[in-house]
Amino acid sequence: MTQNNAYLLKNEWPTAEKGGIERVLVVDDEENITEVVSLFLKSKGYFVTTAKNGEEALKILKEDYYDLVISDVRMPKMDGLALLNEIKKLKGNIVTIMLTGFATIDTAVDAMKLGAFDYVVKPFSINEILNAVKRADEKFRDMIENIQLKEATSLYDISEAISSGSNLNEIFRIGINAVSREVDADAISLYLKNEKSRLFELKIRGFKSKNENWSKGFIKIIGDDLVNKFFKDNRAVLLHGKDILRSDVFIAKESSLISIIAVPLKINNKIIGVLNAYSFTKGHIFNEGQKKSLLIFSNSIAAAVETSRLYDNLQLTFKETMLGLAAALEARDKYTKGHSYKVCEYAQIIAEGLGLPQNEVSLICQAAKLHDIGKIGIDNSALNKPERLNKVEHDMFKNHITIGKQIIQPISFLSDAIPLIYHHHEFFNGSGYPDGIKGGEIPLGARILQVADAFDAMTSDRPYRKALSHEAAISELKKFSGTQFDPEITDVFIKEIEKRKSV
């Protein structure tokens, strides 16, 4: 032991450092070897656990994580090669060093072919073990660096999605995929806090493979008090072994959960959501490094949630302002009170009858509520004239299309509604205004508004005439189908409105 003590004095041995190997499992059926190796590694700051054979070691590895395994080749119950094969099945970044006698050196070479990083021949000095640990540490750091590079790439993808204005669901999709890939999770879940109900709602789940058992047991709604109690001091939580029972806040106790990382999404130190990674694979236990990775992703996702909410609030404010203007317009004219909302209702009936996706239905309804916003710039006396408008007045009235476009144009998030509003007085045969375009040149949403607007105008009182009956209005739509109105849209509207009328 004199030589070993000399090395201690020289302080040439590697020490456990942040970012490198910190946790070591020593496996050997010779107790004096595990004791000596463990003693000296502990003296250099490593956390060390020992096992007598591969079977015992595997049990330890399935309950906790380790960066390095130093294992004998020849052992009872389960030898080093069998243990090595089992380690390969475990998920995680584990470096292995094999201990072998001269007689089994060929076996050690075989072990390296199976994935072992290095081997040390018995009998050995502590210096040889620690040099092997030093080389293993360099290997481990390279592995971690590669993982961090992948994380940086994934974070870049999330940042790009945020900066490009992608919707929150798209950002979640990119984030969930990145987290699942980098943390090597079987499943990922994301909860967001509903500020009105004060409840955390399950917004998205992602699974690595189709496994019915994994999809069962997720808690869909969690109380604010339970989440705050679970995250002491708002810190991330890593659970496995006996502690896994605490995870029943997010997943039922009877699930086959092995390990979980739960990270609070925080803005101004307030929890606005929770990002979880789950392992249902036996032996796959998350480690502190993976917890740190999830923390990095959680910060980006929390920022995306906050940005989206601020943007949504801004959009809502603008929409409310626009709708307030539309309401102010209708308040000027008793004959058009509620007109925009009825046009929205009819337009929705048509859009859904055509089988359009929900985002297009929403856009058309939004345009319907604002389609006459330009009339706010028209002389009120012309709007309420008790007889039909003359040519000068009609030309002035037609200008409400251009005025509406000018009002809405500065508001970027309403840009998709502008073509619908601007062209909703175009005729299918090209004789309408403002541009005289025809057929498919007219945006679909504008063709829908044309029918919805005309039907409500015909079935409402006007200063110069009484409302037409339902039947008369339907007759007018049929009469001008193919000239003023798109025939397909007209047919769909008549079919759908008659269906509702009969009900």
Side-chain angles (χ1 to χ4, degrees):
M1 297 294 288
T2 308
Q3 183 184 10
N4 294 338
N5 286 331
Y7 277 103
L8 263 174
L9 291 171
K10 287 180 183 178
N11 198 30
E12 291 178 355
W13 295 336
T15 57
E17 295 178 1
K18 290 287 184 183
I21 289 172
E22 297 178 24
R23 298 172 63 87
V24 183
L25 175 60
V26 182
V27 191
D28 201 309
D29 58 326
E30 295 182 53
E31 192 174 335
N32 61 320
I33 289 179
T34 56
E35 189 177 333
V36 169
V37 173
S38 173
L39 174 66
F40 282 100
L41 287 176
K42 285 179 179 177
S43 74
K44 302 309 292 178
Y46 294 96
F47 176 88
V48 185
T49 303
T50 62
K52 296 175 184 177
N53 54 60
E55 194 175 273
E56 187 179 319
L58 186 59
K59 185 178 179 183
I60 292 170
L61 289 170
K62 286 182 176 180
E63 291 179 353
D64 212 339
Y65 80 94
Y66 288 85
D67 307 317
L68 172 65
V69 173
I70 302 173
S71 174
D72 190 17
V73 172
R74 298 183 66 179
M75 295 179 293
K77 292 188 178 181
M78 181 188 285
D79 65 18
L81 292 183
L83 175 61
L84 186 59
N85 269 319
E86 292 299 321
I87 288 174
K88 284 173 66 179
K89 296 176 186 176
L90 300 178
K91 299 174 181 178
N93 304 298
I94 303 174
V95 182
T96 52
I97 297 173
M98 308 306 292
L99 304 177
T100 180
F102 282 114
T104 57
I105 195 164
D106 291 338
T107 309
V109 173
D110 290 339
M112 293 186 71
K113 290 178 181 177
L114 290 172
F117 170 69
D118 204 350
Y119 70 92
V120 177
V121 180
K122 293 180 178 180
F124 51 78
S125 67
I126 287 298
N127 183 40
E128 289 174 310
I129 287 289
L130 292 173
N131 279 336
V133 172
K134 185 176 181 180
R135 291 191 297 271
D137 188 78
E138 291 170 358
K139 167 72 174 176
F140 183 81
R141 288 176 186 274
D142 286 341
M143 289 165 57
I144 296 303
E145 191 174 322
N146 287 332
I147 291 169
Q148 289 172 341
L149 182 60
K150 289 179 183 177
E151 287 174 357
T153 303
S154 297
L155 283 171
Y156 176 77
D157 291 341
I158 296 173
S159 299
E160 280 289 290
I162 295 171
S163 61
S164 67
S166 296
N167 63 49
L168 202 54
N169 284 335
E170 176 64 11
I171 293 169
F172 287 162
R173 186 190 65 78
I174 294 171
I176 290 296
N177 286 342
V179 169
S180 180
R181 184 173 60 249
E182 304 307 333
V183 180
D184 199 11
D186 291 323
I188 299 290
S189 72
L190 177 69
Y191 292 83
L192 288 183
K193 186 175 182 179
N194 184 320
E195 291 300 331
K196 289 183 179 179
S197 66
R198 311 294 293 175
L199 296 172
F200 285 80
E201 301 168 354
L202 180 61
K203 290 295 181 183
I204 191 168
R205 293 180 300 173
F207 299 96
K208 194 170 186 178
S209 63
K210 292 180 180 179
N211 186 316
E212 290 183 9
N213 292 328
W214 293 356
S215 62
K216 295 176 181 176
F218 282 81
I219 310 300
K220 293 182 179 178
I221 297 176
I222 307 168
D224 191 13
D225 54 339
L226 282 175
V227 171
N228 288 320
K229 186 178 178 181
F230 181 83
F231 293 108
K232 294 178 181 178
D233 303 320
N234 288 358
R235 291 183 180 177
V237 175
L238 169 60
L239 300 174
H240 43 259
K242 295 177 182 178
D243 293 335
I244 202 72
L245 294 174
R246 277 184 57 205
S247 66
D248 64 352
V249 172
F250 302 107
I251 193 164
K253 286 181 180 178
E254 58 269 19
S255 67
S256 56
L257 188 63
I258 302 297
S259 185
I260 181 174
I261 306 171
V263 179
L265 305 182
K266 295 182 290 185
I267 295 294
N268 297 326
N269 211 35
K270 290 183 179 178
I271 301 177
I272 64 164
V274 182
L275 179 63
N276 295 329
Y278 306 84
S279 168
F280 296 98
T281 304
K282 288 183 179 179
H284 176 28
I285 296 166
F286 295 124
N287 58 42
E288 288 293 328
Q290 289 166 317
K291 186 173 86 172
K292 290 174 186 174
S293 296
L294 202 64
L295 271 167
I296 294 169
F297 285 109
S298 72
N299 291 335
S300 293
I301 293 174
V305 172
E306 182 67 5
T307 301
S308 176
R309 284 180 173 175
L310 289 172
Y311 184 69
D312 286 346
N313 287 337
L314 186 62
Q315 279 191 321
L316 182 62
T317 300
F318 272 116
K319 284 178 185 176
E320 288 173 345
T321 302
M322 288 295 99
L323 294 177
L325 287 172
L329 166 68
E330 293 188 352
R332 296 170 64 201
D333 179 8
K334 66 178 181 178
Y335 291 99
T336 59
K337 187 175 183 181
H339 170 65
S340 295
Y341 284 89
K342 282 186 272 183
V343 172
C344 169
E345 183 182 342
Y346 294 141
Q348 183 173 343
I349 288 171
I350 297 170
E352 290 176 350
L354 289 168
L356 298 184
Q358 188 54 49
N359 62 322
E360 288 189 42
V361 175
S362 298
L363 173 64
I364 291 167
C365 286
Q366 189 179 75
K369 290 174 184 176
L370 298 171
H371 77 284
D372 277 343
I373 191 72
K375 286 183 181 178
I376 205 162
I378 303 298
D379 183 2
N380 199 43
S381 62
L383 289 176
N384 292 297
K385 190 177 178 183
E387 61 267 355
R388 289 190 177 274
L389 304 179
N390 59 40
K391 186 179 186 307
V392 173
E393 291 167 335
H394 189 256
D395 287 343
M396 179 182 67
F397 173 82
K398 285 177 11 180
N399 200 38
H400 81 278
I401 295 291
T402 303
I403 296 171
K405 181 179 179 180
Q406 290 170 344
I407 291 172
I408 295 172
Q409 216 158 22
I411 306 168
S412 60
F413 67 82
L414 289 176
S415 60
D416 289 341
I418 292 174
L420 281 61
I421 295 168
Y422 188 64
H423 292 293
H424 80 275
H425 280 295
E426 304 283 5
F427 284 10
F428 194 72
N429 66 0
S431 62
Y433 65 91
D435 293 340
I437 55 179
K438 63 182 179 178
E441 296 173 348
I442 308 168
L444 175 62
R447 281 178 272 150
I448 290 172
L449 291 184
Q450 166 74 266
V451 173
D453 185 30
F455 183 78
D456 184 63
M458 288 188 287
T459 54
S460 302
D461 287 336
R462 286 292 183 262
Y464 52 88
R465 61 150 176 82
K466 287 291 184 181
L468 298 182
S469 67
H470 175 88
E471 291 74 15
I474 292 294
S475 178
E476 287 293 299
L477 288 180
K478 290 178 179 178
K479 179 181 177 180
F480 292 99
S481 177
T483 53
Q484 182 174 350
F485 309 117
D486 182 320
E488 181 186 0
I489 290 172
T490 304
D491 289 346
V492 168
F493 177 67
I494 292 172
K495 178 183 174 183
E496 295 297 326
I497 204 71
E498 292 296 344
K499 202 186 295 181
R500 284 164 173 74
K501 188 171 183 288
S502 64
V503 172

